[in-house]
């Protein structure tokens, strides 16, 4: 594989290995996508069992992903370690681009070791970025088996005749370095994030029983992931009569290379939070970010980031609407799948058809939300609206202008107008305190404004403090007004202190306060049922 080829210097246009190997680390992988890509390869190798271990021993952090798949011969292993390895024979394969194993791994580690066992024989190879840089050559290393005897034993003990183990060493981008205690906490946090994401990405595989994915994080016991269905169909088995209303699946035909193929679309309107208990709310994963489209390729979730570009914006009013799109490998080129399998580009004609199908579901939910907000928000927060508006000249500390979709702000810290990204703008100029089902990050409140540039506050109803505090105050109009004025004042202060340099600090402050109140709200009485 590393045979030296002598070429005249003027004809040798091979890229510098030292330069290229560092560049290939920056292909845009998220940590969740990188782990999913490795598991894709395991599933493509017919694995029925995959274990992800976040190992921390003697101050060294390693990632170990083991499967009971087909394993590899020496030649197969060399081929798999090649950047741009040969295309798999099965077009449905999740690991189909020949790049994921290498680029996903080295995006976060400087040394990738692959150990494999097939037909009673062990093989191992490694890419070491620092050694490649030193030699400026693609020198595939055969690791010393004596240094990996424990890993080979663990692979053998995986209770299957064949299998493969991926090891990330010299990890420099996955967690922040710190003390031993800090490292353990960082790794535990990483394990929680990964289990949440992987349970969604491989939901259909996990729920079918075709694949078991387990995790071991530091010293904690091994646990199996449970698939997470964004449509929350599992709630339909509840003995409490709670129902996630699954909307009828529709088949959409599409012509590709003179062939009529198709993909399917189905949706669900998940129950409102007050219909669910704590564990059910946790399962439903309520948040602004979890609304929208979930796109699956051959059963594997490849995209879920709200609504695709130029379809809809994320709106709290439609937080409960989730839509599932399923397509086969035959439509890979139509949806422009990249090698990270984390990006899709939906052609305009398909996007228009999706909007036509989804629009009735969306409009139904919007009508319900408009009715609920008009029936409750104005009545509950009306006294605060009037009190705040009465003193708006005295309390004004920023100049906000709304021009179409662009909102700019000036204040004592920001003398030149600067754009406020992602701020909510309300039509009603008489309302200062608004409610939304949930806010990004699960915050209790966030600053907003109306079309005239008046500061407003938006409250996140999903925050436990919202329910409990307003329940305590519900029979006391003055207490309710005082609470509204306090939260509005926090928003007004944030607008008064906002600048391009400190906006993230202000947001962090708000998130910390909301997080603290989430814990403290446990000490308040539960909201009574109406």
């Amino acid at each position: 594989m590393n045979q030296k080829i002598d070429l005249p210097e003027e004809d040798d246009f091979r890229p510098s290995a030292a330069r290229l190997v560092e560049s290939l680390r920056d292909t845009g992988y998220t940590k969740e996508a990188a782990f999913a890509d490795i598991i894709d390869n395991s599933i493509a190798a017919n694995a029925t069992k995959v274990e992800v271990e976040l190992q921390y021993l003697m101050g060294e952090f390693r990632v170990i992903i083991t499967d009971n798949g087909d394993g590899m011969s020496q030649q197969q292993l060399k081929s798999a370690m090649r950047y741009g390895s040969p295309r798999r024979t099965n077009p449905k394969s999740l690991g189909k681009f020949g790049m994921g194993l290498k680029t996903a791994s080295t995006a976060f580690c400087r040394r990738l070791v692959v150990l494999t066992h097939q037909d009673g024989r062990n093989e191992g190879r490694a890419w070491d970025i620092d050694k490649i840089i030193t030699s400026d050559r693609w020198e595939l290393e055969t690791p010393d088996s004596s240094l990996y005897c424990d890993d080979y034993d663990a692979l053998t003990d995986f209770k299957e005749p064949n299998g493969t183990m991926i090891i990330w060493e010299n990890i420099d981008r996955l967690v922040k370095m710190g003390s031993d205690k800090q490292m353990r906490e960082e790794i535990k946090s990483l394990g929680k994030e990964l289990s949440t994401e992987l349970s969604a990405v491989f939901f259909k595989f996990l729920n079918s029983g075709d694949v078991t994915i387990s995790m071991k994080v530091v010293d904690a016991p091994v646990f199996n992931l449970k698939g997470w269905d964004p449509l929350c169909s599992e709630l339909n088995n509840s003995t409490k009569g709670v129902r996630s209303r699954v909307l009828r699946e529709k088949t959409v035909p599409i012509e590709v290379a003179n062939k009529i193929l198709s993909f399917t679309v189905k949706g669900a309107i998940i129950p409102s939070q007050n219909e669910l208990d704590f564990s059910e709310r946790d399962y439903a994963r309520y948040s602004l970010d979890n609304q929208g489209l979930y796109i699956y390729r051959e059963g594997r979730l490849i995209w879920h980031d709200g609504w695709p570009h130029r379809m809809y914006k994320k709106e709290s009013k439609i937080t409960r609407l989730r839509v599932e799109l399923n397509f086969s490998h035959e439509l890979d080129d139509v949806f422009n799948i990249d090698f990270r399998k984390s990006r899709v580009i939906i052609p305009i004609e398909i996007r228009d058809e999706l909007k036509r199908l989804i629009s009735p579901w969306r409009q139904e939910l919007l009508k319900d939300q408009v009715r609920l907000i008009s029936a409750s928000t104005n009545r509950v927060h009306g006294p605060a609206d009037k009190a705040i508006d009465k003193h708006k000249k005295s309390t004004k500390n920023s100049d906000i202008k709304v021009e179409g979709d662009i909102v700019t702000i000036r204040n004592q810290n920001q003398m030149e107008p600067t754009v406020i990204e992602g701020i909510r703008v309300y039509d009603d100029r008489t309302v200062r305190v608004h409610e939304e089902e949930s806010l990004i990050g699960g915050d209790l409140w966030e600053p907003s404004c109306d079309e005239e540039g008046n500061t407003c506050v938006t409250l996140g109803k999903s925050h436990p403090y919202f329910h409990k505090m307003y329940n305590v105050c519900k029979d006391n109009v003055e207490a309710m007004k005082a609470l509204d004025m306090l939260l509005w004042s926090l928003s007004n202060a944030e607008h008064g202190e906002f600048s391009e340099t400190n906006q993230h600090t202000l947001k962090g402050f708000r998130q910390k306060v909301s997080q603290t109140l989430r814990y403290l709200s446990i000490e308040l009485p539960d909201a009574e049922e109406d």
Side-chain angles (χ1 to χ4, degrees):
M1 180 175 177
N2 296 306
Q3 182 179 357
K4 188 173 181 180
I5 302 174
D6 293 321
L7 294 172
E9 186 175 344
E10 65 271 18
D11 295 328
D12 186 357
F13 295 104
R14 288 173 296 178
S16 165
R19 293 287 300 277
L20 185 57
V21 74
E22 281 286 8
S23 299
L24 288 173
R25 302 193 74 200
D26 299 317
T27 49
Y29 269 99
T30 64
K31 54 182 178 290
E32 295 85 358
F35 278 81
D37 224 344
I38 304 299
I39 295 174
D40 285 344
N41 289 334
S42 296
I43 294 174
N46 300 309
T48 59
K49 185 170 64 172
V50 182
E51 181 177 290
V52 178
E53 181 178 2
L54 306 181
Q55 185 186 83
Y56 187 67
L57 291 173
M58 306 295 290
E60 181 184 5
F61 174 37
R62 297 200 308 169
V63 168
I64 303 173
I65 303 175
T66 311
D67 70 55
N68 67 343
D70 297 333
M72 290 177 279
S73 65
Q74 182 183 95
Q75 190 54 45
Q76 287 172 324
L77 175 56
K78 287 181 178 180
S79 178
M81 294 296 276
R82 182 188 296 276
Y83 282 82
S85 54
R87 181 180 292 272
R88 295 182 186 271
T89 55
N90 183 359
K92 294 183 179 181
S93 170
L94 294 168
K96 59 168 283 186
F97 292 95
M99 293 291 286
L101 170 61
K102 287 75 64 177
T103 53
S105 300
T106 59
F108 297 97
C109 73
R110 301 192 69 82
R111 180 174 170 83
L112 163 65
V113 179
V114 180
L115 310 179
T116 190
H117 183 84
Q118 186 183 73
D119 298 332
R121 182 180 176 86
N122 288 332
E123 295 289 346
R125 293 294 186 273
W127 282 123
D128 191 306
I129 289 177
D130 294 318
K131 289 183 179 180
I132 293 172
I133 291 173
T134 299
S135 65
D136 199 15
R137 292 179 59 188
W138 294 104
E139 295 179 344
L140 185 62
E141 177 188 339
T142 300
D144 185 345
S145 59
S146 66
L147 298 177
Y148 292 90
C149 57
D150 290 342
D151 297 308
Y152 274 120
D153 288 344
L155 179 58
T156 302
D157 292 342
F158 211 56
K159 299 180 180 179
E160 299 293 340
N162 301 319
T164 298
M165 178 181 285
I166 310 299
I167 305 174
W168 295 358
E169 297 179 333
N170 297 341
I171 296 169
D172 61 344
R173 292 182 173 182
L174 206 51
V175 296
K176 295 177 182 178
M177 302 306 293
S179 67
D180 189 75
K181 181 179 179 181
Q182 289 171 332
M183 286 290 291
R184 289 178 180 275
E185 290 303 316
E186 284 277 335
I187 295 169
K188 288 177 183 178
S189 178
L190 172 64
K192 185 176 181 180
E193 292 174 16
L194 289 175
S195 62
T196 297
E197 179 69 9
L198 295 178
S199 67
V201 171
F202 297 103
F203 148 65
K204 294 181 184 293
F205 292 89
L206 293 168
N207 276 32
S208 68
D210 294 339
V211 178
T212 299
I213 301 175
S214 60
M215 289 195 69
K216 178 172 175 54
V217 182
V218 194
D219 299 325
V222 176
F223 63 94
N224 290 339
L225 299 187
K226 180 182 178 182
W228 179 69
D229 176 11
L231 304 189
C232 297
S233 55
E234 184 175 304
L235 293 177
N236 292 343
N237 298 322
S238 172
T239 58
K240 300 178 183 178
V242 175
R243 293 294 181 265
S244 178
R245 187 153 66 86
V246 179
L247 306 166
R248 184 171 63 87
E249 185 172 71
K250 300 177 182 181
T251 300
V252 182
I254 181 172
E255 184 175 342
V256 179
N258 298 319
K259 289 173 58 180
I260 300 298
L261 303 175
S262 64
F263 60 88
T264 62
V265 178
K266 68 177 179 180
I269 296 177
I270 64 175
S272 61
Q273 294 197 71
N274 58 13
E275 297 177 80
L276 305 176
D277 61 29
F278 180 81
S279 63
E280 289 170 331
R281 286 198 296 270
D282 188 55
Y283 167 76
R285 299 185 187 178
Y286 272 99
S287 83
L288 199 64
D289 291 334
N290 284 338
Q291 69 175 260
L293 204 60
Y294 289 75
I295 302 179
Y296 295 83
R297 177 210 183 259
E298 296 288 354
R300 194 268 212 202
L301 181 63
I302 60 172
W303 191 89
H304 63 110
D305 190 25
W307 300 103
H309 183 55
R310 295 183 180 177
M311 272 192 66
Y312 305 115
K313 293 180 179 179
K314 293 178 184 178
E315 297 181 66
S316 59
K317 297 176 183 179
I318 55 172
T319 294
R320 294 166 55 205
L321 177 60
R322 297 173 182 175
V323 179
E324 178 182 302
L325 186 156
N326 292 279
F327 72 92
S328 72
H329 67 280
E330 296 174 301
L331 295 180
D332 280 352
D333 291 339
V334 173
F335 286 98
N336 293 284
I337 305 303
D338 69 353
F339 68 86
R340 292 168 299 163
K341 296 181 287 295
S342 58
R343 182 209 69 174
V344 294
I345 298 176
I346 300 179
I348 186 169
E349 61 273 14
I350 293 180
R351 192 168 67 235
D352 289 344
E353 179 64 13
L354 285 174
K355 291 178 75 171
R356 186 186 70 80
L357 295 173
I358 296 170
S359 181
W361 302 339
R362 181 173 176 270
Q363 291 303 318
E364 176 184 340
L365 204 54
L366 284 173
K367 289 178 182 177
D368 287 344
Q369 288 292 339
V370 168
R371 178 179 58 80
L372 288 172
I373 289 174
S374 63
S376 62
T377 302
N378 292 340
R379 172 175 53 82
V380 171
H381 303 292
D385 293 333
K386 294 177 181 178
I388 293 167
D389 190 63
K390 181 179 178 181
H391 298 278
K392 65 181 180 181
K393 290 184 179 180
S394 303
T395 57
K396 185 179 178 68
N397 58 17
S398 61
D399 182 20
I400 299 173
K401 292 191 180 301
V402 180
E403 297 175 320
D405 294 333
I406 305 298
V407 180
T408 58
I409 187 170
R410 294 193 326 166
N411 55 37
Q412 60 180 357
N413 296 326
Q414 187 68 52
M415 302 306 291
E416 295 296 324
T418 188
V419 174
I420 306 181
E421 300 286 353
I423 187 172
R424 299 173 194 268
V425 181
Y426 293 95
D427 296 337
D428 194 334
R429 301 177 183 182
T430 65
V431 176
R432 295 291 182 270
V433 183
H434 297 267
E435 293 180 5
E436 300 289 354
E437 284 297 323
S438 63
L439 304 180
I440 292 176
D443 288 355
L444 170 62
W445 87 95
E446 68 179 21
S448 52
C449 68
D450 61 25
E451 288 188 331
E452 200 173 56
N454 296 303
T455 291
C456 302
V457 63
T458 301
L459 308 178
K461 294 169 64 177
S462 64
H463 197 288
Y465 187 83
F466 176 94
H467 290 288
K468 293 189 175 184
M469 189 60 194
Y470 278 102
N471 181 60
V472 170
C473 297
K474 67 180 182 180
D475 297 324
N476 188 326
V477 174
E478 294 305 315
M480 183 79 76
K481 182 169 69 172
L483 181 59
D484 283 342
M485 290 192 297
L486 171 62
L487 293 170
W488 178 87
S489 295
L490 290 172
S491 291
N492 193 49
E494 188 167 333
H495 279 162
E497 295 298 317
F498 183 95
S499 72
E500 286 185 299
T501 56
N502 74 3
Q503 56 181 304
H504 298 296
T505 301
L506 293 171
K507 182 179 179 180
F509 170 82
R510 186 183 347 125
Q511 290 175 339
K512 286 292 185 183
V513 173
S514 297
Q515 184 182 59
T516 301
L517 287 173
R518 184 176 296 276
Y519 292 113
L520 293 179
S521 65
I522 295 172
E523 302 301 321
L524 295 172
D526 290 329
E528 298 175 3
E529 297 292 339
D530 292 332

